[in-house]
Amino acid sequence: MIADTVLCNAKVYTKRGIVQAGIAIEGDKIAKISKETNLPPACNRVNLDGCLALPGMIDSHVHLRGQLLSSREDFSTGTSAAVAGGITTVLDMPNNKPVTKDSTSLKERILHAERSIVANVGFLSAFPERLQEIEHIVRAGAVAFKVYLTDDVGGLDIDDDELMSKALLKTSAYGVPVAVHAEDGQAIHALTKREQRLGHKNLDAYLKVHSPKVETKAVKRILSIANQSNSQIHICHITSLDAVSLVKRARTDGLSVSCEITPHHLFLTLADLRKHGTRALTDPPLRSNRIVEHLWDAVRKHDIDIIASDHAPHTRAGKEAESIWDVSPGIPGLETLLPLFLTKVNEGHLALKNLIRMTSERPAEVFHLQNEGHLEVGYKANITVVDLHKTGQIEASRFHSKAKYSPFDHIQVKGLPAKTFVNGQLVMDNGEVVARRGIGRVLRSKARK
Ligand code: NCD
Ligand code: ZN
Ligand code: ZN
Ligand code: ZN
């Protein structure tokens, strides 16, 4: 056998621990992991300089935008940002223009993506107006559905429990998960109106509206609806401690439920929000020191399944407005996630094993991404190579994302992605994106049909 590529001089993260080995790649798959002397000859040998080869990072919450929102981000810049940040697979959210909410809009989006992606992309769809359409969305390839409990982003009336229950029942029949933006819409609208009537338009008014309580309320509601439908629920960007407890309890009660946390909700607090102002505004907003400390505890106790960036790029104008109600919430995060958490690993505040579980293993399990999440023979050759010893500084002006700002700009980090391999191909080398456009693949649901 002659392999296509052999990665040599590496430390390889496997289920059996970190081993001094090389990796042989054939096509887009891992063919062998072994001592270098036992690896087959290869057309292409890449020296990893003693760096650590990790299972490809999967970011399960990304807004790639594109189409009519391409001034914020597009498929090429968004996936370039991903691989530059050491991320090999991203899951794209449906709040686009046009909104991903039926098989037509999903197919159109896939067509646009296929031409230009350099990372693998799975698509989430919002719910359609007609529940029969759910089947067609799944057949068109959606890996999951997404529901925003704040607003009718798709075609489903989110205030109608019975309809919601029917929609969840359908998704459970096809075995696809439902990701949830959990902030209670009715509460948000009522509170916003009250603040606006009082003429309040600053950060404090925004924080009053988007409280942890509003989040807890939404989580409670969706879990009780899910309870009747036996569907799989994934709570996005969790920041409320009560919500974390509810998820934990529901899981103990046998519900299929998971949750995710973002880097910004772990690394930043209200003090940072006040310092950075609207640039650091996101939904849910950054939380107090006390909450953030407890969220870290939840991460260390495995109560939170996934770390996801919620990469939400906006134009500079979108991040600046006189009134807080006119500011677009969202923080770009694809290029800062891994350096931030590797720094924590280096500081001894987070086990590498826990990081890999939350950024690769669990995302693959929760979203049913086959042959991803581990470095094993037969698995996809999606590989994130990191240099744990390299120090650097976050430099937002050099982001591949169109959103060249970050609340993490200029901070010091230790541990950086060095090389990224997608589908067996080197796509990022030492910070430079070296991929051919379109090398990424669209991941399709393996749903029961
Ligand atoms: C997201 C966006 O900009 O699309 N914004 C955000 O504040 N997180 C939407 C979302 O994830 O709720
Ligand atoms: Zn088009
Ligand atoms: Zn959200
Ligand atoms: Zn989001």
Side-chain angles (χ1 to χ4, degrees), residues 144-158:
F145 284 85
K146 171 87 182 255
V147 54
Y148 293 83
L149 292 178
T150 39
D151 262 310
D152 294 323
V153 168
L156 190 72
D157 177 5
I158 52 157

Side-chain angles (χ1 to χ4, degrees), residues 61-63 65 93 95 146 148 181 236-237 260 282-283 309-312 330:
H61 190 151
V62 172
H63 300 267
R65 317 285 196 210
M93 296 300 127
N95 59 332
K146 171 87 182 255
Y148 293 83
H181 178 119
C236 296
H237 43 46
E260 116 209 332
T282 186
D283 281 341
S309 71
D310 189 12
H311 178 78

Side-chain angles (χ1 to χ4, degrees), residues 4 9 21 46 48 96 125 139 195 207 247 250 258 267 275-276 281 301 305 312 323 327-328 346 358 382 403 427 431:
D4 292 316
N9 193 14
V46 183
L48 298 191
N96 303 302
S125 174
R139 284 192 201 285
E195 291 301 312
L207 292 171
V247 167
S258 53
F267 284 83
K275 180 174 135 205
H276 294 281
L281 190 74
K301 286 194 298 207
D305 299 81
S323 161
V327 176
S328 305
N346 269 313
M358 296 182 79
N382 297 328
V427 294

Side-chain angles (χ1 to χ4, degrees), residues 67 98 108-109 111-112 115:
Q67 296 169 286
E108 169 79 13
R109 198 158 169 75
L111 220 56
H112 278 261
R115 292 196 277 265

